[in-house]
Amino acid sequence: MAEIIQEEKRQKGGKKRPRRGVARVDMTPMVDLMALLLTFFMLTTAFNKPKIMVITMPEKDNKPHDQPKIDAKRTLNILLGDSDRVYYYMGIADPNKPLPTLIKTNFSKDGLRRLLLEKNRALFTKIVDYKSARAKGRIVVADTTAENYIKQLKIDDNVGPIVLIKPDVKAKYKDVVATIDEMSICNIASYAIVDLSPTEKDMLKSAPR
Amino acid sequence: MPKIKSVARSPHVDMTPMVDLFTLLLTFFLLTAVFIPMEPAQITIPVSVSAKAVPDHNIMTLYIAPDKRIFFNYDNGQDTSFHYRIQLLEEMGGRYHINFTPAELKHFSNAGTFGLPMKDIKAWLDTKNAKDAEQLQTGIPMDSLDNQLAWWVRLGRTVNPYAEVAIKADGNVEFPVIKKVLDLVQSNGVNRFDFITTYDKEEVGLKDLPK
């Protein structure tokens, strides 16, 4: 222990006097205990709480005949296959017409993100400009106002891509999350998770690995 | 010259500043501690840029383990006056004709995440043996004949209409499994989901735009 109590040397025949030591409390056990508790709390505390990604799915209607018409020129289809494979094509795969070719890409910065930024250039620039103007103090508005403004920009957008995320039966959940994540990184205004059509399933099967 | 006698002192170390520091740190941890909740299975959640924290209340969480077992957790409400979990179990018991004793309801109220068919719930609540309890966690059935998960979600929303649905799934689970759960939740009138992810910052600016 940290404190060593020295024996007083007593001379032979000397008077026995009561020792007048300093009233010192040995703090060591307290330190021991505290270190223990501290370690316990440090190990059991969750420092970074998990985060949530909010997804709003379109209302389910059981009437397949009135599907909304979407502009084929703006449609970007992202097909997710097994073992992290990603493909994309523009437009609509119509079995009665020559099929579009699938282009292979990946989840890196130069893959999917580059493609999305390219397609979404107009809206992305607008949003980034607005955000940087706010950060520099040129525009002073409340957070909710800014959010609403960005929301409105997204609603008004009519040139950006409409992204359809189509996971195959073998696609991993993390790839779907990564794709949706890219949508928010690239400020894509409209996207949805859609099932693969039989034509697309065949396209995916014959696609180069 | 006489030697200067060094006074023999006891090698005493003053622990007081250390104690002070430790008390301070300990108080800090005690006050900020949010304990890591016990989870029935190891789940590796995917990464996203979303920085929104998981709400503490009004949330039901569906866990999807790598082996596709499904677990359920339901929060007990903001303070002690709410007993959502007890209400939920009573509702479920009523549906599956199981009567629970007050002790079982009390136990369930603090039980945390669970994933087992209704027929095993009573045994799970009664067992004192942690290993036996673990054995019973076979996942909540969600096949079309007996879709218990749908009932948990539906009655969970009845008991607390503000309850949000969060999905904590392992990144390596195939998407159709998640899709099935999403469809099931959507058929119960919930169109907004929270995917639980870990935060990872990504900076993308104008410089990243391709030329």
Side-chain angles (χ1 to χ4, degrees):
Chain A
M1 287 287 155
E3 200 168 17
I4 297 160
I5 300 154
Q6 278 183 322
E7 284 271 324
E8 232 175 76
K9 276 180 195 168
R10 265 183 275 147
Q11 281 178 331
K12 266 183 192 171
K15 261 190 188 169
K16 276 185 189 171
R17 272 187 204 164
R19 278 176 56 215
R20 246 167 239 230
V22 193
R24 205 174 257 157
V25 184
D26 188 4
M27 292 281 198
T28 325
M30 196 167 166
V31 172
D32 288 354
L33 182 73
M34 279 198 169
L36 201 76
L37 281 173
L38 200 56
T39 326
F40 169 74
F41 276 101
M42 279 175 81
L43 291 178
T44 52
T45 306
F47 273 107
N48 47 348
K49 271 191 84 179
K51 303 291 189 279
I52 51 171
M53 190 166 122
V54 181
I55 307 286
T56 315
M57 298 285 260
E59 193 90 27
K60 263 215 164 131
D61 56 348
N62 299 318
K63 293 165 276 170
H65 50 86
D66 56 318
Q67 279 201 345
K69 275 259 182 290
I70 47 172
D71 191 350
K73 273 182 198 151
R74 286 172 61 196
T75 311
L76 168 65
N77 300 269
I78 298 176
L79 279 68
L80 303 170
D82 55 58
S83 43
D84 301 341
R85 290 183 303 145
V86 206
Y87 300 92
Y88 71 91
Y89 74 91
M90 294 298 293
I92 290 165
D94 188 340
N96 304 320
K97 286 179 193 163
L99 291 174
T101 43
L102 286 182
I103 304 161
K104 194 173 181 193
T105 181
N106 55 32
F107 288 109
S108 75
K109 264 188 174 169
D110 297 317
L112 203 53
R113 188 171 306 162
R114 203 185 158 85
L115 168 80
L116 290 170
L117 285 176
E118 177 114 44
K119 300 274 181 216
N120 201 30
R121 186 183 289 267
L123 178 63
F124 183 79
T125 319
K126 263 186 220 164
I127 292 178
V128 171
D129 279 346
Y130 182 73
K131 277 186 181 163
S132 69
R134 260 196 90 208
K136 281 175 190 151
R138 272 187 276 132
I139 303 171
V140 184
V141 285
D143 280 354
T144 45
T145 320
E147 265 168 41
N148 287 336
Y149 181 78
I150 290 172
K151 221 177 250 173
Q152 196 55 45
L153 277 182
K154 283 188 177 176
I155 293 168
D156 293 343
D157 176 65
N158 54 8
V159 286
I162 298 162
V163 183
L164 301 179
I165 304 164
K166 300 179 174 177
D168 184 39
V169 282
K170 289 279 181 59
K172 297 272 170 65
Y173 168 64
K174 65 166 190 275
D175 292 344
V176 179
V177 170
T179 316
I180 299 169
D181 203 30
E182 288 297 327
M183 300 300 136
S184 60
I185 294 173
C186 302
N187 293 322
I188 301 286
S190 41
Y191 61 89
I193 304 175
V194 186
D195 286 332
L196 283 168
S197 70
T199 325
E200 284 165 329
K201 269 183 197 159
D202 292 340
M203 283 165 72
L204 199 60
K205 253 178 221 157
S206 55
R209 286 206 151 240
Chain B
M1 234 170 93
K3 263 190 187 168
I4 301 164
K5 246 192 181 172
S6 60
V7 188
R9 267 202 227 133
S10 71
H12 178 264
V13 184
D14 191 6
M15 290 284 195
T16 325
M18 198 163 165
V19 172
D20 288 354
L21 182 73
F22 275 26
T23 326
L24 202 76
L25 281 174
L26 196 58
T27 322
F28 169 74
F29 278 106
L30 269 169
L31 292 178
T32 58
V34 180
F35 290 104
I36 305 168
M38 284 289 280
E39 281 179 9
Q42 187 78 34
I43 292 174
T44 320
I45 48 178
V47 178
S48 86
V49 294
S50 176
K52 218 174 155 203
V54 182
D56 290 327
H57 304 294
N58 297 336
I59 191 158
M60 52 175 121
T61 316
L62 302 174
Y63 295 78
I64 302 167
D67 53 7
K68 291 171 195 147
R69 276 185 301 163
I70 293 173
F71 298 93
F72 188 78
N73 198 355
Y74 193 74
D75 84 281
N76 221 344
Q78 206 147 8
D79 54 60
T80 45
S81 59
F82 299 99
H83 296 289
Y84 292 142
R85 283 183 75 108
I86 292 179
Q87 287 177 38
L88 177 62
L89 189 65
E90 276 174 338
E91 293 271 340
M92 277 306 271
R95 216 190 125 78
Y96 285 89
H97 311 293
I98 304 168
N99 285 317
F100 294 101
T101 63
E104 283 166 347
L105 288 170
K106 183 93 184 24
H107 184 189
F108 182 77
S109 178
N110 306 316
T113 309
F114 62 94
L116 60 170
M118 274 309 281
K119 64 175 172 53
D120 293 338
I121 290 244
K122 228 177 153 70
W124 178 67
L125 289 172
D126 290 337
T127 182
K128 292 277 183 290
N129 188 337
K131 220 169 190 171
D132 289 350
E134 187 64 36
Q135 290 264 310
L136 287 168
Q137 301 257 28
T138 49
I140 297 173
M142 56 170 288
D143 40 63
S144 48
L145 273 177
D146 183 18
N147 201 335
Q148 294 187 1
L149 186 65
W151 280 107
W152 282 112
V153 173
R154 182 171 299 172
L155 295 173
R157 289 277 287 187
T158 317
V159 167
N160 178 8
Y162 300 104
E164 281 179 39
V165 177
I167 289 168
K168 187 168 188 176
D170 192 274
N172 284 317
V173 172
E174 277 96 19
F175 191 69
V177 181
I178 318 282
K179 174 86 181 150
K180 206 174 154 192
V181 175
L182 291 183
D183 283 348
L184 180 151
V185 179
Q186 268 202 296
S187 65
N188 282 302
V190 186
N191 286 317
R192 188 174 169 277
F193 307 99
D194 303 334
F195 283 162
I196 297 184
T197 53
T198 32
Y199 176 60
D200 183 29
K201 203 176 178 184
E202 285 275 357
E203 284 279 1
V204 175
L206 288 176
K207 60 177 180 0
D208 293 299
L209 273 174
K211 298 282 165 334

